[in-house]
Amino acid sequence: MSKSQHDLKDEKHTYLSTPRLQDESKASQSSNQSKTDPPRKGANGVVLKKFEAVMSDMFSTPNALAALTPKYARLPPGMNDAKKRELVQFARCYWERIGLPKANGNIVEESEGNGGGTTANDIIESSTRRSPWPFDDMTQLPTCGSVRGEKGGIVGDVTNYERAWRKESQLANLIQCVLAMLPDHARDFVRLQTELDAIDEGKDGMTPILRIVDFGGGTGHLTVPLALLLPHCEVVCVDLKKRSLDLLHRRVDCMILGDNAISDDYEIDKWGNAKLKSNQYDDKFPCQSNTVQRSRTLPNLYTYHGTIQNYPERFEIGVSLHACGEASDWTLRKCLDQKSSWVVCGCCCGKLRRDAGNPYVYQSTGGNEKEVSYPQSRVFACLGGKYNNQNIEEKGNHQIMTADMFDELARASDYSELGDVRKPRNACRRAAKSLVEWDRLLFTKQCLECSISVDGTSSRGSNTVLTRMNPWEASPKNDILLGWFDSSSN
């Protein structure tokens, strides 16, 4: 991947991080002292916000600029039109074999708001935008894999123009990255279709070539399209909420044609929709059954009810779209432990603060104590001092970086103003988000080097890069981390 040619001149991607202090008294003393300090001022006497002062301190550290400036790479190249046609033809043969209904078309409602300040002009503009591949009219994904739908339809359908287009764009970006991660033998769709044609009609699908796991996949917005497009891959959705996984199975298993489509777990309501008979869910208390359920409609689609940490099977590619806070970091750790490729788009970085609640932490552990210390990389932890067993020693006249400083950076990085994406307004907050992601990248690069040195294997072909969605307007949280261990990935 080459360095991005995006226009980043309007933003300076610089950041600051510090290791968590183990001595609570020191952290408390630092916090109390900061309350009495006079306000910091920047250029032209402008009073700096706390996170801006933190970033200013970071820049004052010698030799920090080169090491700490986030470097963006281009998105992996998408498949050409001929290759897309081969993939869609292969997938359609699979859909027809298992009896999946065709999509009803991109139907959306104009009247529903998206809760994000959508205007009439936004609706007109987004309604004229074409759905990106593979959600376009030419591909015609089966209904269970579509994003758009009619109001009152199956759970997961998005009925607002702007939200539907943004969701499709987010998914299309991650699907593009996953397809780029596939080894060559998994991208030979002509050969794979020949193998599919040779399989007896009564057989449950193809023998999986590799396993793709969608961590924090929820109701399967990403999992289901991947399973539809890649019949030769096993695709697993991992989530803590059983209700979300049940809704995923509703989307897929209740949409197959035929009189016997509805299982005993569902009933038909007065509007003709499939509804779960048991609706007694309590997401306030941690409960993971650590069970795997296979789709009755898509033989290559599975769900796992449990934590990211506890998922037991080996896999080749791990993906995560907007998993909250620490969940994205556990996805990275799981992929590193398995030596698997990863495509991770983080979200809710404000929950990385020590004082912030994180539903994933509570639901996975039963407590609120975070299991990941921030910052994660040695480069960030060394900022302003010497890194030694999570302690920071003063170096010269530079201020020691405290956990409070990283908290301020994380707080500022929790940014969701979509209208400011390409404007100078709030560029400093977008830079803070880039810094949090760069800390994650440096941590994964550090782990790659350690893993290779321990195993004695060659580092040739292994890498991790930071990229972002195209277009940026798909989401204000558009940073994507990609990583792979060997050059067999494209």
Side-chain angles (χ1 to χ4, degrees):
M1 294 185 184
S2 61
K3 189 174 180 180
S4 173
Q5 299 299 316
H6 291 311
D7 184 9
L8 302 178
K9 294 181 180 179
D10 63 330
E11 301 179 22
K12 285 190 176 180
H13 296 291
T14 51
Y15 61 97
L16 168 67
S17 302
T18 62
R20 181 182 301 176
L21 294 181
Q22 302 298 318
D23 189 345
E24 293 295 335
S25 64
K26 290 183 179 180
S28 177
Q29 181 181 358
S30 174
S31 178
N32 293 334
Q33 182 179 356
S34 63
K35 295 178 182 179
T36 60
D37 289 340
R40 297 272 299 277
K41 294 185 179 181
N44 300 322
V46 175
V47 176
L48 299 178
K49 297 178 181 178
K50 289 183 179 180
F51 78 92
E52 292 172 334
V54 167
M55 296 173 74
S56 176
D57 290 338
M58 177 202 64
F59 284 129
S60 68
T61 304
N63 304 320
L65 185 61
L68 304 181
T69 301
K71 301 173 181 62
Y72 280 82
R74 287 183 182 273
L75 270 173
M79 295 189 302
N80 58 39
D81 291 341
K83 199 70 175 177
K84 288 179 181 177
R85 285 193 294 270
E86 292 177 4
L87 171 56
V88 172
Q89 181 61 33
F90 166 53
R92 280 179 179 167
C93 290
Y94 181 65
W95 305 339
E96 293 173 1
R97 177 183 288 263
I98 62 179
L100 281 175
K102 294 182 180 179
N104 294 327
N106 290 337
I107 305 172
V108 290
E109 297 283 340
E110 292 187 24
S111 58
E112 182 187 346
N114 70 346
T118 302
T119 65
N121 290 333
D122 293 329
I123 293 175
I124 293 173
E125 180 184 356
S126 57
S127 64
T128 59
R129 291 169 173 164
R130 293 183 178 180
S131 296
W133 187 89
F135 302 99
D136 57 328
D137 292 333
M138 296 298 294
T139 303
Q140 288 188 321
L141 279 178
T143 305
C144 59
S146 320
V147 172
R148 305 180 187 229
E150 298 180 4
K151 192 171 184 179
I154 60 172
V155 171
D157 282 345
V158 180
T159 60
N160 170 265
Y161 280 118
E162 181 68 16
R163 288 184 62 194
W165 178 83
R166 293 208 319 262
K167 191 66 178 180
E168 287 175 339
S169 299
Q170 295 166 22
L171 299 174
N173 274 273
L174 264 71
I175 290 172
Q176 178 175 326
C177 293
V178 170
L179 293 176
M181 293 285 187
L182 294 178
D184 289 336
H185 68 280
R187 291 164 56 96
D188 189 352
F189 303 118
V190 174
R191 177 185 60 80
L192 290 167
Q193 183 174 345
T194 303
E195 293 181 5
L196 178 63
D197 293 338
I199 296 176
D200 295 335
E201 287 291 337
K203 191 174 179 182
D204 272 353
M206 306 181 67
T207 302
I209 293 178
L210 51 83
R211 180 181 287 122
I212 301 171
V213 182
D214 180 9
F215 292 105
T219 58
H221 269 305
L222 177 59
T223 311
V224 176
L226 283 173
L228 289 170
L229 290 170
L230 303 173
H232 56 303
C233 298
E234 181 179 306
V235 185
V236 185
C237 181
V238 175
D239 204 274
L240 274 171
K241 296 182 179 180
K242 188 173 188 303
R243 176 175 177 79
S244 296
L245 299 179
D246 284 343
L247 292 175
L248 181 153
H249 285 284
R250 171 188 167 180
R251 292 181 62 196
V252 178
D253 297 334
C254 290
M255 294 307 297
I256 187 171
L257 295 177
D259 295 335
N260 300 322
I262 306 302
S263 72
D264 295 336
D265 300 327
Y266 303 90
E267 59 186 359
I268 302 298
D269 61 21
K270 62 181 180 181
W271 295 283
N273 294 325
K275 181 180 179 181
L276 288 166
K277 290 181 179 179
S278 176
N279 203 22
Q280 303 300 319
Y281 294 96
D282 193 347
D283 294 329
K284 295 181 180 179
F285 299 97
C287 178
Q288 304 98 42
S289 60
N290 297 325
T291 55
V292 176
Q293 182 177 350
R294 187 181 189 184
S295 168
R296 302 181 185 184
T297 303
L298 278 174
N300 64 324
L301 174 63
Y302 294 79
T303 60
Y304 175 81
H305 178 222
T307 66
I308 297 170
Q309 301 93 305
N310 288 342
Y311 181 71
E313 303 295 335
R314 293 200 61 82
F315 59 93
E316 283 69 37
I317 301 176
V319 299
S320 178
L321 174 60
H322 293 163
C324 287
E326 195 172 289
S328 294
D329 295 303
W330 278 115
T331 300
L332 291 171
R333 280 164 164 74
K334 192 71 174 180
C335 294
L336 287 163
D337 181 63
Q338 294 277 339
K339 293 189 175 179
S340 306
S341 301
W342 61 84
V343 181
V344 175
C345 179
C347 182
C348 302
C349 292
K351 293 178 181 177
L352 303 181
R353 306 188 331 261
R354 293 168 301 162
D355 61 343
N358 189 339
Y360 178 80
V361 174
Y362 181 74
Q363 292 171 11
S364 60
T365 66
N368 291 312
E369 187 65 26
K370 292 180 171 57
E371 298 183 301
V372 178
S373 296
Y374 299 95
Q376 302 179 80
S377 67
R378 285 200 181 98
V379 174
F380 270 60
C382 289
L383 196 59
K386 181 180 179 182
Y387 180 77
N388 182 19
N389 296 328
Q390 293 284 342
N391 293 322
I392 293 293
E393 300 176 2
E394 189 173 0
K395 183 177 181 180
N397 295 321
H398 298 290
Q399 182 179 2
I400 297 175
M401 300 300 178
T402 67
D404 292 329
M405 295 179 179
F406 183 80
D407 288 347
E408 292 300 330
L409 193 70
R411 190 192 312 275
S413 69
D414 205 357
Y415 175 79
S416 59
E417 293 298 327
L418 187 63
D420 296 342
V421 166
R422 295 184 186 269
K423 300 176 183 177
R425 177 182 170 83
N426 283 320
C428 201
R429 294 192 64 183
R430 295 197 297 276
K433 173 66 163 58
S434 297
L435 302 178
V436 173
E437 299 300 338
W438 192 245
D439 175 51
R440 285 171 166 160
L441 178 138
L442 293 174
F443 170 75
T444 58
K445 187 179 289 290
Q446 169 187 316
C447 292
L448 280 174
E449 295 171 353
C450 291
S451 175
I452 291 168
S453 63
V454 170
D455 294 348
T457 56
S458 172
S459 61
R460 184 178 181 182
S462 66
N463 201 1
T464 178
V465 297
L466 176 62
T467 184
R468 55 162 52 121
M469 295 179 183
N470 183 29
W472 297 357
E473 289 80 6
S475 171
K477 300 166 184 178
N478 52 28
D479 298 308
I480 303 176
L481 287 166
L482 306 176
W484 57 93
F485 272 84
D486 56 61
S487 55
S488 62
S489 299
N490 287 322

